[in-house]
């Protein structure tokens, strides 16, 4: 176990360092264009609207977390406590490994009498659903945009030749999307065996909240990129979702910082220039971080009263 954990930490650190170095190369290679870029008028007003919209999106994640707690059997929690535990722990994911993101809400709810094993199981199911649905939607959007052509990486001095020549055909995205849907079904059947009949709807509602979150988060990214670029580029949607997954699976990246932006720059190459992708990634990251800070203070406010299990 210790050896496996060490290997994971080393691999994660290597991925973060490689991503930061890649972003540095992008910055150096495009420094002239970046220095000439001028922020559009009222960009801070657009950022504020984005922050408020992001807060609404996090309420979808909070609802998914609440429904999963009910599905697993932690029925003694109220919605206020579920939401407060989720929103208040968001900043914890920016610490190395993101341990406090999970530990923070776990400690919060344990103090309110929730079962230790149930909380762990709910967190594991949530993690699986987030990764699976992000992947399914990314593949579906990529199929919608490119069809059978698949996806190729941009020709660039910063991208090795063997990667730039790689071509991922459309049927691979079909297989991946179908595999994600099947995996969600298998997960439901596996968990459903020990759950009362009426609790299955909680899992369905949790899945719906996660899907809505990713679709609307992609819309938010398109709107944020439109502020930077002056136009909406719908083909950026799958690139954004694939970048989100990359930041999600690298457990050592604080909130996916660096890894997500580097992947976005790499995948968005066929649509926009590297400096534009770098600016879009940075602007969206600022919106998210500001939203997560605000979510912490909202959690302090809504988490004060003790809620009963009737608040579902």
């Amino acid at each position: 176990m210790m050896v496996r954990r060490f290997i994971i930490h080393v691999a994660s650190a290597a991925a973060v360092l490689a991503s930061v170095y890649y972003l540095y190369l992008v910055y150096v290679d495009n420094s002239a264009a970046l220095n000439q870029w001028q922020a559009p008028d009222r960009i801070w007003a657009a950022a504020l609207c984005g922050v408020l919209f992001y807060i609404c999106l996090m309420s979808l994640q909070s609802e998914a977390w609440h429904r999963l707690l009910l599905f697993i059997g932690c029925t003694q929690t109220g919605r206020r406590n579920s939401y407060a535990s989720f929103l208040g722990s968001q900043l914890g994911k920016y610490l190395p490994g993101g341990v406090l993101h999970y530990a923070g809400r776990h400690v919060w709810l344990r103090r309110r009498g929730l079962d230790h094993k149930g909380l762990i199981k709910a967190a594991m199911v949530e993690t699986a659903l987030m990764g699976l649905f992000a992947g399914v939607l990314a593949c579906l959007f990529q199929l919608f945009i490119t069809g059978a052509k698949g996806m190729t990486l941009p020709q660039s001095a910063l991208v090795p030749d063997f990667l730039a020549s790689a071509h991922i055909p459309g049927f691979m995205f079909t297989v991946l999307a179908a595999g994600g849907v099947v995996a969600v079904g298998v997960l439901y059947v596996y968990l459903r065996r020990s759950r009362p009949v009426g609790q299955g709807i909680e899992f369905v509602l949790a899945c719906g909240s996660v899907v809505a979150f990713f679709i609307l988060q992609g819309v938010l990214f398109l709107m944020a990129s439109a502020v930077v670029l002056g136009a909406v580029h719908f083909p950026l949607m799958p690139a954004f979702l694939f970048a989100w997954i990359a930041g999600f699976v690298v457990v050592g990246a604080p909130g996916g910082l660096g890894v997500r932006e580097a992947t976005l720059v790499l995948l968005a190459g066929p649509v926009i220039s590297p400096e534009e992708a770098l600016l879009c990634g940075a602007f969206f990251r600022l919106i998210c971080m500001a939203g997560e800070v605000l979510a912490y203070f909202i959690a302090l406010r809504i988490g004060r009263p003790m809620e009963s299990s009737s608040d579902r």
Side-chain angles (χ1 to χ4, degrees):
M1 181 66 71
M2 293 295 294
V3 174
R4 185 189 306 173
R5 196 173 293 176
F6 175 76
I7 293 174
I8 292 175
H9 285 317
V10 170
S12 299
V16 173
L17 291 175
S19 299
V20 172
Y21 180 66
Y22 175 73
L23 291 174
Y24 169 75
L25 293 179
V26 172
Y27 174 79
V28 171
D29 197 47
N30 300 276
S31 57
L34 288 170
N35 292 331
Q36 293 176 359
W37 181 79
Q38 293 183 351
D41 295 336
R42 300 180 179 178
I43 188 172
W44 295 113
L48 177 59
C49 293
V51 169
L52 296 177
F53 187 65
Y54 187 65
I55 290 291
C56 296
L57 293 186
M58 281 195 287
S59 70
L60 286 172
Q61 283 186 293
S62 301
E63 181 64 18
W65 172 239
H66 177 67
R67 293 294 176 178
L68 285 176
L69 289 174
L70 296 177
F71 175 69
I72 293 301
C74 299
T75 55
Q76 66 270 41
T77 183
R79 184 173 274 105
R80 278 181 177 268
N81 280 326
S82 300
Y83 276 46
S85 68
F86 187 89
L87 296 174
S89 63
Q90 288 299 302
L91 290 177
K93 65 186 180 184
Y94 286 100
L95 296 177
V99 175
L100 288 185
H101 170 51
Y102 292 97
R105 62 185 182 181
H106 189 97
V107 171
W108 174 281
L109 293 174
R110 276 289 291 157
R111 289 177 177 175
R112 284 151 179 80
L114 270 70
D115 178 61
H116 173 72
K117 292 183 178 179
L119 289 172
I120 293 178
K121 187 180 292 186
M124 293 176 65
V125 175
E126 177 200 44
T127 301
L129 290 180
M130 295 284 283
L132 287 170
F133 279 122
V136 168
L137 289 172
C139 291
L140 291 177
F141 279 120
Q142 186 65 39
L143 280 171
F144 178 76
I145 291 170
T146 62
K149 295 179 181 179
M151 180 176 66
T152 56
L153 295 177
Q155 296 287 341
S156 169
L158 297 175
V159 180
D161 291 338
F162 75 93
L163 286 178
S165 61
H167 181 81
I168 306 176
F171 79 88
M172 285 298 297
F173 290 112
T174 305
V175 171
L176 290 172
V181 173
V182 171
V184 173
V186 171
L187 180 64
Y188 172 74
V189 172
Y190 174 75
L191 295 171
R192 182 68 183 76
R193 293 181 300 176
S194 59
R195 301 271 74 80
V197 176
Q199 285 186 329
I201 189 63
E202 307 294 356
F203 184 86
V204 175
L205 292 173
C207 291
S209 296
V210 172
V211 171
F213 166 75
F214 280 116
I215 292 176
L216 293 176
Q217 190 186 37
V219 171
L220 175 60
F221 175 77
L222 292 182
M223 296 300 101
S225 64
V227 174
V228 175
L229 305 175
V232 176
H233 294 271
F234 182 75
L236 289 176
M237 179 75 89
F240 166 74
L241 290 172
F242 282 127
W244 189 94
I245 295 171
F248 183 68
V249 299
V250 179
V251 295
L257 190 63
V259 176
R260 194 164 292 163
E261 286 75 16
T263 307
L264 176 65
V265 172
L266 186 64
L267 296 182
V271 183
I272 57 178
S273 63
E275 67 271 15
E276 289 175 330
L278 194 62
L279 289 169
C280 290
F283 184 54
F284 185 76
R285 174 67 70 174
L286 289 174
I287 289 175
C288 292
M289 294 182 71
E292 285 150 357
V293 170
L294 183 57
Y296 174 77
F297 291 103
I298 293 175
L300 292 180
R301 178 66 183 89
I302 67 175
R304 287 177 182 173
M306 180 72 72
E307 285 294 315
S308 66
S309 61
S310 61
D311 179 22
R312 297 180 54 160

mmCIF file of all heavy atoms in Angstrom, residues 243-276:
data_model
loop_
_atom_site.group_PDB
_atom_site.id
_atom_site.type_symbol
_atom_site.label_atom_id
_atom_site.label_comp_id
_atom_site.label_asym_id
_atom_site.label_seq_id
_atom_site.Cartn_x
_atom_site.Cartn_y
_atom_site.Cartn_z
ATOM 1 N N ALA A 243 -10.081 18.466 -20.590
ATOM 2 C CA ALA A 243 -9.124 19.132 -19.708
ATOM 3 C C ALA A 243 -9.557 19.022 -18.253
ATOM 4 O O ALA A 243 -8.730 18.842 -17.351
ATOM 5 C CB ALA A 243 -8.974 20.602 -20.113
ATOM 6 N N TRP A 244 -10.873 19.126 -18.012
ATOM 7 C CA TRP A 244 -11.381 18.983 -16.643
ATOM 8 C C TRP A 244 -11.061 17.587 -16.112
ATOM 9 O O TRP A 244 -10.639 17.432 -14.958
ATOM 10 C CB TRP A 244 -12.889 19.212 -16.616
ATOM 11 C CG TRP A 244 -13.431 19.284 -15.222
ATOM 12 C CD1 TRP A 244 -13.644 20.395 -14.473
ATOM 13 C CD2 TRP A 244 -13.812 18.166 -14.391
ATOM 14 N NE1 TRP A 244 -14.132 20.061 -13.231
ATOM 15 C CE2 TRP A 244 -14.243 18.700 -13.152
ATOM 16 C CE3 TRP A 244 -13.825 16.787 -14.575
ATOM 17 C CZ2 TRP A 244 -14.678 17.889 -12.102
ATOM 18 C CZ3 TRP A 244 -14.243 15.969 -13.537
ATOM 19 C CH2 TRP A 244 -14.670 16.520 -12.321
ATOM 20 N N ILE A 245 -11.251 16.569 -16.941
ATOM 21 C CA ILE A 245 -10.962 15.194 -16.525
ATOM 22 C C ILE A 245 -9.482 15.040 -16.184
ATOM 23 O O ILE A 245 -9.125 14.400 -15.187
ATOM 24 C CB ILE A 245 -11.366 14.207 -17.636
ATOM 25 C CG1 ILE A 245 -12.876 14.240 -17.852
ATOM 26 C CG2 ILE A 245 -10.920 12.789 -17.292
ATOM 27 C CD1 ILE A 245 -13.334 13.473 -19.065
ATOM 28 N N ALA A 246 -8.619 15.622 -17.015
ATOM 29 C CA ALA A 246 -7.175 15.522 -16.760
ATOM 30 C C ALA A 246 -6.823 16.108 -15.400
ATOM 31 O O ALA A 246 -6.055 15.520 -14.632
ATOM 32 C CB ALA A 246 -6.400 16.234 -17.868
ATOM 33 N N GLY A 247 -7.377 17.270 -15.074
ATOM 34 C CA GLY A 247 -7.121 17.861 -13.776
ATOM 35 C C GLY A 247 -7.736 17.075 -12.638
ATOM 36 O O GLY A 247 -7.226 17.096 -11.511
ATOM 37 N N PHE A 248 -8.805 16.339 -12.929
ATOM 38 C CA PHE A 248 -9.518 15.575 -11.914
ATOM 39 C C PHE A 248 -8.766 14.297 -11.539
ATOM 40 O O PHE A 248 -8.699 13.919 -10.364
ATOM 41 C CB PHE A 248 -10.919 15.233 -12.425
ATOM 42 C CG PHE A 248 -11.789 14.499 -11.444
ATOM 43 C CD1 PHE A 248 -12.251 15.128 -10.295
ATOM 44 C CD2 PHE A 248 -12.164 13.184 -11.680
ATOM 45 C CE1 PHE A 248 -13.065 14.450 -9.394
ATOM 46 C CE2 PHE A 248 -12.982 12.505 -10.790
ATOM 47 C CZ PHE A 248 -13.428 13.143 -9.640
ATOM 48 N N VAL A 249 -8.204 13.624 -12.536
ATOM 49 C CA VAL A 249 -7.565 12.326 -12.278
ATOM 50 C C VAL A 249 -6.160 12.463 -11.719
ATOM 51 O O VAL A 249 -5.645 11.521 -11.094
ATOM 52 C CB VAL A 249 -7.538 11.455 -13.558
ATOM 53 C CG1 VAL A 249 -8.943 11.180 -14.046
ATOM 54 C CG2 VAL A 249 -6.708 12.114 -14.658
ATOM 55 N N VAL A 250 -5.522 13.604 -11.921
ATOM 56 C CA VAL A 250 -4.185 13.817 -11.341
ATOM 57 C C VAL A 250 -4.383 14.280 -9.904
ATOM 58 O O VAL A 250 -4.605 15.466 -9.635
ATOM 59 C CB VAL A 250 -3.373 14.841 -12.158
ATOM 60 C CG1 VAL A 250 -1.996 15.053 -11.528
ATOM 61 C CG2 VAL A 250 -3.218 14.374 -13.601
ATOM 62 N N VAL A 251 -4.311 13.345 -8.982
ATOM 63 C CA VAL A 251 -4.702 13.622 -7.600
ATOM 64 C C VAL A 251 -3.762 14.595 -6.906
ATOM 65 O O VAL A 251 -4.132 15.232 -5.924
ATOM 66 C CB VAL A 251 -4.774 12.303 -6.797
ATOM 67 C CG1 VAL A 251 -5.872 11.421 -7.323
ATOM 68 C CG2 VAL A 251 -3.425 11.560 -6.842
ATOM 69 N N GLY A 252 -2.543 14.728 -7.379
ATOM 70 C CA GLY A 252 -1.607 15.619 -6.713
ATOM 71 C C GLY A 252 -1.703 17.060 -7.160
ATOM 72 O O GLY A 252 -1.066 17.933 -6.563
ATOM 73 N N ALA A 253 -2.502 17.338 -8.192
ATOM 74 C CA ALA A 253 -2.632 18.717 -8.685
ATOM 75 C C ALA A 253 -3.668 19.448 -7.847
ATOM 76 O O ALA A 253 -4.827 19.028 -7.807
ATOM 77 C CB ALA A 253 -3.047 18.712 -10.154
ATOM 78 N N PRO A 254 -3.300 20.534 -7.172
ATOM 79 C CA PRO A 254 -4.270 21.272 -6.336
ATOM 80 C C PRO A 254 -5.414 21.821 -7.186
ATOM 81 O O PRO A 254 -5.250 22.773 -7.935
ATOM 82 C CB PRO A 254 -3.431 22.413 -5.746
ATOM 83 C CG PRO A 254 -2.014 21.962 -5.871
ATOM 84 C CD PRO A 254 -1.961 21.129 -7.118
ATOM 85 N N GLY A 255 -6.582 21.203 -7.079
ATOM 86 C CA GLY A 255 -7.721 21.633 -7.872
ATOM 87 C C GLY A 255 -7.504 21.498 -9.365
ATOM 88 O O GLY A 255 -8.155 22.179 -10.157
ATOM 89 N N GLY A 256 -6.594 20.606 -9.773
ATOM 90 C CA GLY A 256 -6.279 20.472 -11.196
ATOM 91 C C GLY A 256 -5.467 21.620 -11.746
ATOM 92 O O GLY A 256 -5.294 21.733 -12.964
ATOM 93 N N LEU A 257 -4.963 22.494 -10.877
ATOM 94 C CA LEU A 257 -4.248 23.684 -11.297
ATOM 95 C C LEU A 257 -3.004 23.312 -12.102
ATOM 96 O O LEU A 257 -2.190 22.509 -11.666
ATOM 97 C CB LEU A 257 -3.851 24.511 -10.077
ATOM 98 C CG LEU A 257 -3.302 25.921 -10.323
ATOM 99 C CD1 LEU A 257 -4.362 26.794 -10.970
ATOM 100 C CD2 LEU A 257 -2.834 26.541 -9.006
ATOM 101 N N GLY A 258 -2.866 23.901 -13.269
ATOM 102 C CA GLY A 258 -1.728 23.619 -14.134
ATOM 103 C C GLY A 258 -2.026 22.510 -15.116
ATOM 104 O O GLY A 258 -1.915 22.695 -16.335
ATOM 105 N N VAL A 259 -2.444 21.360 -14.615
ATOM 106 C CA VAL A 259 -2.742 20.218 -15.482
ATOM 107 C C VAL A 259 -3.936 20.534 -16.373
ATOM 108 O O VAL A 259 -3.916 20.274 -17.583
ATOM 109 C CB VAL A 259 -3.027 18.961 -14.635
ATOM 110 C CG1 VAL A 259 -3.447 17.797 -15.528
ATOM 111 C CG2 VAL A 259 -1.803 18.586 -13.808
ATOM 112 N N ARG A 260 -4.979 21.106 -15.784
ATOM 113 C CA ARG A 260 -6.188 21.420 -16.549
ATOM 114 C C ARG A 260 -5.895 22.464 -17.629
ATOM 115 O O ARG A 260 -6.330 22.331 -18.776
ATOM 116 C CB ARG A 260 -7.263 21.925 -15.593
ATOM 117 C CG ARG A 260 -8.657 21.977 -16.170
ATOM 118 C CD ARG A 260 -9.674 22.100 -15.044
ATOM 119 N NE ARG A 260 -9.710 20.876 -14.243
ATOM 120 C CZ ARG A 260 -10.239 20.809 -13.026
ATOM 121 N NH1 ARG A 260 -10.767 21.864 -12.471
ATOM 122 N NH2 ARG A 260 -10.245 19.655 -12.377
ATOM 123 N N GLU A 261 -5.148 23.486 -17.264
ATOM 124 C CA GLU A 261 -4.842 24.550 -18.223
ATOM 125 C C GLU A 261 -3.931 24.046 -19.339
ATOM 126 O O GLU A 261 -4.110 24.398 -20.511
ATOM 127 C CB GLU A 261 -4.198 25.744 -17.501
ATOM 128 C CG GLU A 261 -5.151 26.567 -16.666
ATOM 129 C CD GLU A 261 -5.554 25.900 -15.351
ATOM 130 O OE1 GLU A 261 -4.870 24.929 -14.938
ATOM 131 O OE2 GLU A 261 -6.554 26.330 -14.750
ATOM 132 N N ALA A 262 -2.940 23.224 -18.988
ATOM 133 C CA ALA A 262 -2.032 22.696 -20.002
ATOM 134 C C ALA A 262 -2.768 21.797 -20.990
ATOM 135 O O ALA A 262 -2.544 21.865 -22.205
ATOM 136 C CB ALA A 262 -0.898 21.925 -19.321
ATOM 137 N N THR A 263 -3.664 20.955 -20.480
ATOM 138 C CA THR A 263 -4.450 20.080 -21.354
ATOM 139 C C THR A 263 -5.360 20.895 -22.259
ATOM 140 O O THR A 263 -5.542 20.572 -23.440
ATOM 141 C CB THR A 263 -5.282 19.098 -20.516
ATOM 142 O OG1 THR A 263 -4.433 18.413 -19.592
ATOM 143 C CG2 THR A 263 -5.980 18.087 -21.403
ATOM 144 N N LEU A 264 -5.947 21.969 -21.715
ATOM 145 C CA LEU A 264 -6.813 22.825 -22.518
ATOM 146 C C LEU A 264 -6.034 23.461 -23.662
ATOM 147 O O LEU A 264 -6.499 23.484 -24.807
ATOM 148 C CB LEU A 264 -7.438 23.904 -21.635
ATOM 149 C CG LEU A 264 -8.308 24.935 -22.354
ATOM 150 C CD1 LEU A 264 -9.544 24.275 -22.946
ATOM 151 C CD2 LEU A 264 -8.708 26.067 -21.406
ATOM 152 N N VAL A 265 -4.846 23.985 -23.368
ATOM 153 C CA VAL A 265 -4.022 24.604 -24.410
ATOM 154 C C VAL A 265 -3.684 23.590 -25.488
ATOM 155 O O VAL A 265 -3.715 23.891 -26.693
ATOM 156 C CB VAL A 265 -2.732 25.194 -23.793
ATOM 157 C CG1 VAL A 265 -1.779 25.662 -24.884
ATOM 158 C CG2 VAL A 265 -3.066 26.353 -22.858
ATOM 159 N N LEU A 266 -3.387 22.369 -25.068
ATOM 160 C CA LEU A 266 -3.010 21.327 -26.020
ATOM 161 C C LEU A 266 -4.182 20.905 -26.906
ATOM 162 O O LEU A 266 -4.045 20.811 -28.128
ATOM 163 C CB LEU A 266 -2.476 20.112 -25.251
ATOM 164 C CG LEU A 266 -1.898 18.960 -26.077
ATOM 165 C CD1 LEU A 266 -0.672 19.420 -26.839
ATOM 166 C CD2 LEU A 266 -1.546 17.792 -25.170
ATOM 167 N N LEU A 267 -5.356 20.699 -26.309
ATOM 168 C CA LEU A 267 -6.503 20.180 -27.059
ATOM 169 C C LEU A 267 -7.233 21.257 -27.851
ATOM 170 O O LEU A 267 -7.914 20.957 -28.825
ATOM 171 C CB LEU A 267 -7.481 19.492 -26.102
ATOM 172 C CG LEU A 267 -6.963 18.248 -25.375
ATOM 173 C CD1 LEU A 267 -8.053 17.654 -24.505
ATOM 174 C CD2 LEU A 267 -6.451 17.202 -26.363
ATOM 175 N N ALA A 268 -7.132 22.518 -27.404
ATOM 176 C CA ALA A 268 -7.843 23.600 -28.090
ATOM 177 C C ALA A 268 -7.079 24.120 -29.295
ATOM 178 O O ALA A 268 -7.577 25.007 -29.997
ATOM 179 C CB ALA A 268 -8.114 24.746 -27.110
ATOM 180 N N GLY A 269 -5.895 23.566 -29.556
ATOM 181 C CA GLY A 269 -5.060 24.053 -30.650
ATOM 182 C C GLY A 269 -5.726 24.098 -32.009
ATOM 183 O O GLY A 269 -5.546 25.065 -32.758
ATOM 184 N N PRO A 270 -6.531 23.091 -32.398
ATOM 185 C CA PRO A 270 -7.186 23.157 -33.707
ATOM 186 C C PRO A 270 -8.259 24.239 -33.808
ATOM 187 O O PRO A 270 -8.708 24.560 -34.910
ATOM 188 C CB PRO A 270 -7.825 21.765 -33.840
ATOM 189 C CG PRO A 270 -7.039 20.884 -32.930
ATOM 190 C CD PRO A 270 -6.679 21.763 -31.775
ATOM 191 N N VAL A 271 -8.673 24.798 -32.678
ATOM 192 C CA VAL A 271 -9.767 25.773 -32.682
ATOM 193 C C VAL A 271 -9.256 27.196 -32.488
ATOM 194 O O VAL A 271 -9.645 28.117 -33.216
ATOM 195 C CB VAL A 271 -10.793 25.439 -31.570
ATOM 196 C CG1 VAL A 271 -11.976 26.411 -31.624
ATOM 197 C CG2 VAL A 271 -11.273 24.003 -31.704
ATOM 198 N N ILE A 272 -8.392 27.408 -31.500
ATOM 199 C CA ILE A 272 -7.858 28.739 -31.196
ATOM 200 C C ILE A 272 -6.349 28.630 -31.015
ATOM 201 O O ILE A 272 -5.799 27.534 -30.894
ATOM 202 C CB ILE A 272 -8.507 29.347 -29.930
ATOM 203 C CG1 ILE A 272 -8.316 28.408 -28.732
ATOM 204 C CG2 ILE A 272 -9.982 29.628 -30.165
ATOM 205 C CD1 ILE A 272 -8.887 28.940 -27.435
ATOM 206 N N SER A 273 -5.691 29.776 -30.967
ATOM 207 C CA SER A 273 -4.237 29.803 -30.820
ATOM 208 C C SER A 273 -3.841 29.479 -29.380
ATOM 209 O O SER A 273 -4.656 29.616 -28.456
ATOM 210 C CB SER A 273 -3.698 31.179 -31.210
ATOM 211 O OG SER A 273 -4.213 32.180 -30.343
ATOM 212 N N PRO A 274 -2.587 29.067 -29.152
ATOM 213 C CA PRO A 274 -2.157 28.717 -27.792
ATOM 214 C C PRO A 274 -2.292 29.862 -26.799
ATOM 215 O O PRO A 274 -2.705 29.654 -25.656
ATOM 216 C CB PRO A 274 -0.686 28.323 -27.977
ATOM 217 C CG PRO A 274 -0.596 27.869 -29.385
ATOM 218 C CD PRO A 274 -1.551 28.739 -30.144
ATOM 219 N N GLU A 275 -1.958 31.098 -27.235
ATOM 220 C CA GLU A 275 -2.063 32.217 -26.289
ATOM 221 C C GLU A 275 -3.519 32.506 -25.928
ATOM 222 O O GLU A 275 -3.827 32.869 -24.793
ATOM 223 C CB GLU A 275 -1.385 33.477 -26.844
ATOM 224 C CG GLU A 275 -2.041 34.114 -28.051
ATOM 225 C CD GLU A 275 -1.547 33.561 -29.362
ATOM 226 O OE1 GLU A 275 -0.894 32.487 -29.343
ATOM 227 O OE2 GLU A 275 -1.817 34.175 -30.397
ATOM 228 N N GLU A 276 -4.433 32.307 -26.888
ATOM 229 C CA GLU A 276 -5.850 32.504 -26.589
ATOM 230 C C GLU A 276 -6.357 31.435 -25.617
ATOM 231 O O GLU A 276 -7.118 31.737 -24.693
ATOM 232 C CB GLU A 276 -6.657 32.462 -27.892
ATOM 233 C CG GLU A 276 -6.438 33.676 -28.788
ATOM 234 C CD GLU A 276 -7.161 33.546 -30.105
ATOM 235 O OE1 GLU A 276 -7.336 32.400 -30.589
ATOM 236 O OE2 GLU A 276 -7.559 34.588 -30.683
#
